[in-house]
Amino acid sequence: MLDRDVRARLRTLSKDNAEIVGLHLVMTGRLIDEDPELAYQHAQAAARRGGRVDVVREAAGLTAYRTGRFAEALRELRTVRRLNGSSEHLAVMADCERGLGRPERAIALAQSPEAEHLDDVARVELAMVVSGARLDLGDVDGALASLSGFRVGGQTLLAARVAQAKAEALRAAGREQDAEAATAGFSAALLARASGVVEDEDEDVLLYDLEEDEDSDDGEALDDETAASVELGGDDDATASAELDGEEDTAVPVEPGAGDAPTAEVVEDASGTQETAPARQDVSDDDASGPDQETGAGASDEEAEDA
């Protein structure tokens, strides 16, 4: 079941559309890890009926990212930021820029004013993206400096991912022994999870809180059989969201190593996992060429320029 906050946001839709969109969001959350492509299809179906709702566009953006559709993900997450004013997905947006072969823009996002208001964990996520972007540019020292201001404690997924990012930069610097030492404190199983090699069967990273609400109305609970039967088609509501698309992030000149060595100290608790996708995958020209027509969101001048 969707949590109360998400249900409240869906009340801006008609009753029938809200119910169908809610079912698609539930399926998106359940499938995002085990079958990202199918999760993407459910998110697209939700966007056709509820394109003005921020959580719907968020689902569309995150599933596009998880399936390597970086240009589409970037557009959707920019729209989310305009709808709710949040920059919580700034690290994902920066990694999309990397996926599109634009590491300079990834670094520029990390230096933007929005990055200053992120919480500590989100800043760590952004720092890992910046480190990778520096490596893309051949700036090994800058890649190491990007991660030097954080201490992530515990045997957690986030700590393992930071250690792997440091190890990658150290190997690029020819410091193989230091790279081995960076990950030595973590088990092979945890490092495999951090790399996205194996699925985590014990904890579900969902887009939404699907726990049943004690105060929910009768009939709102969703069983597996009902959810699995949701059609991925639906009425096209393209005009509802077209005007929301297309925002150009203001790029700033990027000085090598500047602005990406944060000083926050983060200790993630043992149960904390973040809403970020595995390491960026390479994307073909077809993936980055423009938005999927199913979203109903028209391409902006910026997407045309990017293409």
Side-chain angles (χ1 to χ4, degrees):
M1 167 170 287
L2 297 173
D3 68 19
R4 184 179 302 177
D5 179 63
V6 173
R7 293 202 312 273
R9 299 184 190 200
L10 294 181
R11 290 193 184 107
T12 60
L13 306 174
S14 68
K15 182 178 180 181
D16 288 344
N17 270 352
E19 291 178 356
I20 295 172
V21 169
L23 291 174
H24 283 302
L25 292 182
V26 169
M27 293 306 298
T28 299
R30 291 179 177 177
L31 293 167
I32 186 65
D33 289 322
E34 63 186 64
D35 191 342
E37 182 62 34
L38 185 55
Y40 170 80
Q41 297 299 331
H42 277 286
Q44 290 297 296
R48 286 194 293 272
R49 289 178 176 268
R52 290 182 180 272
V53 182
D54 59 344
V55 292
V56 174
R57 301 300 286 268
E58 179 182 38
L62 293 176
T63 54
Y65 172 67
R66 288 293 297 270
T67 56
R69 296 171 169 92
F70 298 121
E72 183 178 340
L74 192 59
R75 185 186 68 249
E76 294 290 350
L77 294 177
R78 284 171 177 162
T79 300
V80 172
R81 187 169 61 178
R82 286 197 302 280
L83 287 169
N84 63 20
S86 172
S87 295
E88 64 178 308
H89 298 302
L90 200 64
V92 177
M93 294 169 67
D95 207 32
C96 287
E97 294 287 11
R98 283 192 68 204
L100 293 169
R102 303 188 299 229
E104 298 91 346
R105 291 196 184 188
I107 296 170
L109 277 177
Q111 296 172 346
S112 66
E114 291 86 352
E116 298 177 2
H117 303 290
L118 297 176
D119 61 36
D120 286 342
V121 173
R123 291 175 66 194
V124 172
E125 297 285 357
L126 186 57
M128 285 189 282
V129 175
V130 170
S131 180
R134 291 289 181 191
L135 288 179
D136 294 342
L137 294 170
D139 181 8
V140 177
D141 291 338
L144 289 169
S146 299
L147 299 169
S148 64
F150 295 105
R151 182 179 69 85
V152 184
Q155 291 290 312
T156 63
L157 194 58
L158 181 62
R161 290 177 56 226
V162 171
Q164 287 180 329
K166 288 182 177 179
E168 183 180 1
L170 289 166
R171 289 191 179 94
R175 298 164 56 182
E176 186 64 34
Q177 289 186 340
D178 290 337
E180 294 294 332
T183 58
F186 300 94
S187 67
L190 184 57
L191 291 174
R193 285 176 53 206
S195 300
V197 173
V198 294
E199 293 291 340
D200 177 19
E201 298 179 354
D202 296 325
E203 55 183 354
D204 295 325
V205 182
L206 302 178
L207 291 176
Y208 308 102
D209 179 6
L210 304 180
E211 293 182 1
E212 184 170 353
D213 187 345
E214 294 180 356
D215 298 328
S216 62
D217 297 331
D218 292 340
E220 285 188 310
L222 175 71
D223 60 36
D224 292 338
E225 181 178 354
T226 301
S229 68
V230 178
E231 294 293 336
L232 293 178
D235 297 335
D236 190 6
D237 190 22
T239 58
S241 59
E243 71 274 15
L244 294 172
D245 294 320
E247 173 189 0
E248 182 171 359
D249 287 308
T250 302
V252 298
V254 179
E255 297 295 333
D260 50 320
T263 58
E265 179 175 299
V266 178
V267 179
E268 183 190 36
D269 60 35
S271 63
T273 54
Q274 299 305 309
E275 186 191 63
T276 55
R280 173 186 55 78
Q281 303 174 5
D282 291 335
V283 61
S284 67
D285 291 340
D286 290 339
D287 289 330
S289 61
D292 191 318
Q293 294 301 315
E294 283 190 337
T295 61
S300 68
D301 291 340
E302 181 186 8
E303 275 82 53
E305 178 182 346
D306 291 344

